[in-house]
Amino acid sequence: MGKNHPDYAACLQNLGALYSSMGNFEKSEMFYLEAQSIFEKVLGQEHPIYANSLHSLAILYRNMGKLNQAETIALEAMHIREKLLGKEHPDYAESLQDLGTIYEIMGNYEKAEPLYFESKKFFESVVGKEHPKYAVSMSNLAHLYEAQKRFSNSEPLLEEAFTIMHSNLAKATSYLSEQELSKYITAIQKNGDKLSAYLRNRQIDGAHPGILPSLVFDQMLFYKGFLLNAATRLNSTSMLSPQTTEINLSLKAYRRKLSTEYAKPISDRKGVAELEEKANVAEKQLSRLVVGYVDALRPIKWKHVQVKLNKTEAAIEFVSFKLNFPKKYDSIIYAALLLKSGNDPPQFFHLFEEKSLDSLLQSKSERKADYVNTLYSLSDRGVVVVETSKKSIYDIIWKPLEKELSGIKTIYFSPSGLLHRINLDAIPISETETLADKYQLIELNSTRQLVLPTKINTSNNQAVLYGGIQFEQDSLLTHSEPILASRSRGELSFHYVDSTLRGGIWNYLPGTEKEVNSIERIMEASGVKTNLIKGYSATEEAFKNIGTNNHSSPRILHIATHGYFFDDPKVQAKSNGLSSQNESVFKISDHPMLRSGLILAGGNAAWQGKQTLEGREDGVLTAYEISQMNLSNTELVVLSACETGLGDIQGKRRSVWSATRLQNRRCKISDHEFVAGSDKQTSLLMTTFYKKWLEEK
């Protein structure tokens, strides 16, 4: 076609967008400018595509900090769009919004406000309040008001914007794919970061927090309680029978069609009322047929949590967020939202910067015992430097809260970020006392669980034990035709890891067979009905069948096998200098549940990058896949294996939380490495544990 062709220019435009998203602004500018030149030559300046190219270039210059150039080009794009498309076109409203952002960054609030306001008015009238861009327009206006300290103007906008976002996303969970949902979860997390940053900025300025602590608490309930838990369970529990599967698939179709219609201007939408009615009917049917479906959908607010607390109880939602207001910083801030009984809203407490705790967690020791002793020590070994002063782990995590905990005996808490790797019970208050001596600390995935507790079947007295697993493929099955995919795999299974990043071999663990045999005898003597799964039978398929087909999950689940994890990508980048562009998307994922898992029967083949057998799982069970299971009737999960307690604890712990929905029970992750001479000690520890619990109560 030659270089003077719109399609060639479109390729250049796409490359410019790609390099911009990669942060390579110089290359992006080069491609954008060449594309703009071709569009101008071939299509002329009065053409929507030419205006689009200007718009992209303006955003690039804004991101590069070239604000004067960005303003000039954005104005030109807006005027062309107004002339060609009119003021009732979404592209014109988008120009208003982006030009407003440029003025806001320049500090010209007087010019930014009317542009934001006009775009908000447009989205409300043309596409309606259900449209995501309406929520974005309100967020932009609220951001401006926060910068101007006009808090009474910003708060109602923030409240409405987050209500719309949560409502849209709650509906979208019924039809989004795993990959799409993962992206939306990241997006909602970024919005939550901004909300927390506003609150921190008000605190620094000495301003009243207003309704922001309540909004942030509600955001955490939605993010940690719904998105990372209930949303996945909606789909898994709705697919337990042919009838509910069919209804659920219909609901997905209605919701997806509705999302398509709501993306259009109001005047162009068709059949919305009929689709809404069909979706509501399907949802009511699932509510009748699927236990827990209504609870999973129920929106929970901080007031619902507060009602469940008595005078000696408190709930804490820990939050970690990127400090991106009033400008973007490199800091990740940790804070706590404390909620007590009565009528008072949550209180916000700034705790520390992530680098303070990270330096302590990254410290190296020859032995794990030394590392743990250092971490939970009041000596100089267990302190970090915070703002030029030395502080212990107690000082940075708990001391800011202490004055508000008078009379409190029981604390329900939900950790965030690095706090998943800290055992609050073990934090020392003095040389002889820890937090566990002063409080009953109950860890939850989300304090939402106080409102919707898990109902355990008390008559359930069953156990499933995995051990003595054969990690090589069964020779009797190797004659099957190999294929690259299994129908039961999700989009985020280990199968999608780049095979060049795998390697090595998982060795058979003889100690695990002895371990589960001993535990079986103890359990049966205590009246526990035990299902022992070993050898080639300990497949991923068998594991995923737990809790399916209307059979409740066992009371006890014991898994003695190898575990794996990929390092936090930020830590990995620091340690080996590798560019994330050369890594598997699986390995560099910010989602810890995609970087960790367990090895089951036949897992060596997939781990080494070989093809898997037709119709069979690959034997590598990711934490994400575990989270899709229904283990709601399981009281205790024990992971007794190599490296199950290492790496990103957040990933493995969250997968267990998500599957079991534990309520008022601890999630403990034990790590017992099967190295020379340790099989006996591991077996002794495990058998002693079960004897103490089952026999001696």
Side-chain angles (χ1 to χ4, degrees):
M1 296 175 177
K3 288 191 172 183
N4 290 323
H5 193 283
D7 286 359
Y8 174 72
C11 290
L12 296 172
Q13 189 81 6
N14 289 341
L15 278 167
L18 175 63
Y19 281 115
S20 177
S21 68
M22 291 164 67
N24 192 335
F25 296 146
E26 288 71 22
K27 269 196 174 182
S28 176
E29 181 184 16
M30 179 182 72
F31 285 116
Y32 273 157
L33 286 172
E34 188 178 352
Q36 178 203 352
S37 176
I38 296 170
F39 285 137
E40 183 177 12
K41 188 188 301 181
V42 177
L43 303 176
Q45 290 188 350
E46 294 193 351
H47 196 283
I49 293 178
Y50 175 71
N52 292 346
S53 70
L54 290 175
H55 183 76
S56 298
L57 190 58
I59 293 174
L60 174 67
Y61 284 141
R62 182 193 73 195
N63 293 338
M64 294 174 73
K66 298 180 178 181
L67 298 179
N68 290 328
Q69 288 173 268
E71 177 194 9
T72 301
I73 296 172
L75 279 167
E76 185 182 353
M78 185 182 73
H79 291 319
I80 295 172
R81 285 175 166 178
E82 181 181 3
K83 183 178 179 180
L84 297 177
L85 306 173
K87 290 187 175 182
E88 296 300 307
H89 195 280
D91 285 358
Y92 175 72
E94 199 172 311
S95 280
L96 291 172
Q97 211 152 239
D98 288 320
L99 186 59
T101 302
I102 292 169
Y103 284 133
E104 184 183 349
I105 296 171
M106 295 171 75
N108 194 335
Y109 300 147
E110 291 73 20
K111 282 189 174 182
E113 183 177 1
L115 293 170
Y116 279 156
F117 195 81
E118 190 180 347
S119 68
K120 173 183 171 293
K121 188 177 178 182
F122 165 85
F123 287 120
E124 182 176 2
S125 62
V126 177
V127 297
K129 291 187 175 183
E130 303 89 354
H131 200 286
K133 286 190 176 180
Y134 174 68
V136 171
S137 67
M138 284 195 296
S139 296
N140 286 340
L141 194 54
H143 190 275
L144 178 69
Y145 290 148
E146 284 290 323
Q148 294 178 289
K149 307 190 188 308
R150 295 165 60 183
F151 304 137
S152 60
N153 294 106
S154 69
E155 288 186 355
L157 293 171
L158 289 169
E159 189 170 23
E160 187 179 0
F162 272 84
T163 299
I164 293 171
M165 287 178 189
H166 291 177
S167 175
N168 285 342
L169 194 49
K171 292 177 181 177
T173 55
S174 66
Y175 67 82
L176 290 176
S177 71
E178 293 170 357
Q179 298 263 11
E180 290 169 333
L181 183 58
S182 180
K183 290 178 181 178
Y184 271 96
I185 287 174
T186 301
I188 203 76
Q189 189 176 17
K190 288 180 179 178
N191 285 317
D193 284 354
K194 193 173 288 186
L195 202 59
S196 299
Y198 295 156
L199 182 50
R200 174 61 181 148
N201 191 61
R202 289 192 190 184
Q203 189 180 59
I204 292 171
D205 289 343
H208 192 276
I211 66 168
L212 290 192
S214 300
L215 289 183
V216 175
F217 202 104
D218 288 347
Q219 165 70 6
M220 289 298 102
L221 291 173
F222 181 79
Y223 173 67
K224 289 195 278 186
F226 178 80
L227 281 184
L228 298 180
N229 257 327
T232 56
R233 195 178 183 193
L234 282 174
N235 284 325
S236 61
T237 55
S238 300
M239 307 292 271
L240 294 179
S241 73
Q243 182 185 9
T244 57
T245 297
E246 185 178 351
I247 296 170
N248 193 44
L249 291 174
S250 297
L251 177 60
K252 285 175 180 285
Y254 300 144
R255 291 287 189 213
R256 190 171 282 281
K257 288 177 182 177
L258 278 168
S259 73
T260 302
E261 291 303 315
Y262 279 128
K264 301 174 183 177
I266 295 173
S267 58
D268 295 341
R269 294 173 191 168
K270 295 178 181 178
V272 169
E274 184 183 358
L275 284 169
E276 285 283 12
E277 177 61 25
K278 288 181 177 179
N280 289 336
V281 169
E283 202 164 75
K284 287 177 182 177
Q285 288 176 319
L286 288 175
S287 299
R288 289 198 305 271
L289 297 171
V290 179
V291 176
Y293 191 87
V294 174
D295 284 345
L297 278 175
R298 183 178 163 191
I300 302 298
K301 305 293 185 183
W302 66 269
K303 288 184 178 180
H304 299 128
V305 177
Q306 189 175 58
V307 169
K308 298 295 180 178
L309 300 172
N310 64 40
K311 290 184 179 180
T312 62
E313 295 178 330
I316 298 174
E317 282 284 350
F318 287 103
V319 297
S320 54
F321 58 93
K322 292 180 180 177
L323 197 58
N324 54 16
F325 182 84
K327 62 180 182 178
K328 290 186 178 180
Y329 302 88
D330 292 332
S331 303
I332 295 179
I333 299 297
Y334 282 69
L337 289 153
L338 174 65
L339 184 64
K340 297 189 287 189
S341 65
N343 298 312
D344 292 337
Q347 294 173 272
F348 177 84
F349 295 89
H350 169 261
L351 300 179
F352 58 90
E353 280 191 59
E354 184 171 81
K355 60 184 179 183
S356 302
L357 183 58
D358 194 41
S359 62
L360 195 58
L361 291 174
Q362 296 303 324
S363 61
K364 301 295 182 183
S365 299
E366 289 295 321
R367 300 187 310 149
K368 287 183 182 177
D370 293 335
Y371 169 76
V372 172
N373 289 336
T374 298
L375 187 61
Y376 299 101
S377 171
L378 286 175
S379 68
D380 285 345
R381 296 181 304 164
V383 301
V384 293
V385 176
V386 181
E387 296 171 353
T388 71
S389 63
K390 289 184 177 181
K391 294 186 178 181
S392 68
I393 196 169
Y394 166 79
D395 290 328
I396 65 173
I397 294 178
W398 202 258
K399 191 176 180 179
L401 304 169
E402 195 72 69
K403 62 181 180 180
E404 295 294 334
L405 296 175
S406 176
I408 299 296
K409 303 297 182 185
T410 302
I411 298 172
Y412 304 95
F413 71 96
S414 171
S416 179
L418 292 180
L419 292 178
H420 283 93
R421 297 171 62 181
I422 299 295
N423 182 357
L424 294 190
D425 278 330
I427 293 178
I429 301 174
S430 66
E431 293 295 340
T432 58
E433 190 180 28
T434 69
L435 285 182
D437 296 315
K438 192 170 184 180
Y439 306 101
Q440 183 186 8
L441 295 166
I442 299 172
E443 182 173 348
L444 303 171
N445 192 52
S446 165
T447 55
R448 173 189 171 97
Q449 291 170 264
L450 291 173
V451 183
L452 301 171
T454 303
K455 297 174 182 177
I456 291 292
N457 177 9
T458 54
S459 63
N460 172 27
N461 201 25
Q462 298 176 326
V464 174
L465 312 179
Y466 275 76
I469 298 171
Q470 293 289 348
F471 303 113
E472 293 298 329
Q473 285 190 346
D474 188 347
S475 59
L476 297 177
L477 300 174
T478 56
H479 300 296
S480 302
E481 287 294 321
I483 58 171
L484 282 174
S486 164
R487 285 175 297 176
S488 58
R489 286 199 191 97
E491 291 177 313
L492 303 178
S493 75
F494 181 80
H495 171 71
Y496 287 83
V497 181
D498 182 351
S499 62
T500 62
L501 294 174
R502 312 177 197 176
I505 190 170
W506 297 105
N507 294 319
Y508 177 71
L509 301 169
T512 64
E513 184 170 9
K514 297 174 185 176
E515 179 182 323
V516 292
N517 286 340
S518 299
I519 293 170
E520 181 186 33
R521 290 193 292 271
I522 295 170
M523 288 185 172
E524 289 185 342
S526 301
V528 179
K529 185 179 178 182
T530 307
N531 181 15
L532 181 56
I533 304 175
K534 300 190 293 186
Y536 295 114
S537 299
T539 63
E540 188 177 352
E541 290 97 332
F543 190 88
K544 287 184 175 178
N545 280 331
I546 296 173
T548 60
N549 301 322
N550 295 322
H551 296 298
S552 64
S553 60
R555 179 189 179 195
I556 303 165
L557 182 57
H558 184 99
I559 311 162
T561 185
H562 287 289
Y564 77 91
F565 69 93
F566 292 140
D567 283 337
D568 183 306
K570 296 184 288 293
V571 174
Q572 192 178 57
K574 290 174 188 174
S575 62
N576 61 21
L578 287 176
S579 167
S580 62
Q581 295 169 30
N582 298 324
E583 296 284 0
S584 159
V585 66
F586 200 105
K587 194 169 184 178
I588 65 171
S589 173
D590 285 331
H591 203 318
M593 295 168 71
L594 306 185
R595 300 196 309 269
S596 58
L598 301 172
I599 311 299
L600 297 176
N604 270 338
W607 192 264
Q608 293 172 313
K610 298 175 183 177
Q611 292 179 323
T612 54
L613 300 178
E614 182 177 4
R616 295 178 64 84
E617 298 284 355
D618 55 22
V620 182
L621 182 69
T622 68
Y624 181 85
E625 289 174 300
I626 296 172
S627 75
Q628 306 303 295
M629 297 173 63
N630 181 14
L631 303 178
S632 56
N633 211 44
T634 298
E635 180 181 356
L636 174 72
V637 177
V638 177
L639 304 179
S640 172
C642 277
E643 300 193 347
T644 54
L646 298 179
D648 195 332
I649 297 298
Q650 181 180 1
K652 284 184 279 289
R653 178 172 290 182
R654 183 178 288 161
S655 69
V656 175
W657 280 123
S658 299
T660 59
R661 282 89 195 171
L662 296 176
Q663 164 65 14
N664 291 3
R665 283 158 290 160
R666 291 284 166 75
C667 175
K668 292 296 186 188
I669 293 185
S670 59
D671 171 40
H672 313 293
E673 292 199 21
F674 292 96
V675 295
S678 72
D679 282 5
K680 185 177 179 180
Q681 289 90 330
T682 297
S683 181
L684 180 62
L685 174 63
M686 289 289 99
T687 52
T688 303
F689 170 78
Y690 284 109
K691 280 182 180 179
K692 292 290 182 184
W693 183 44
L694 294 172
E695 294 179 2
E696 301 178 30
K697 308 300 178 186

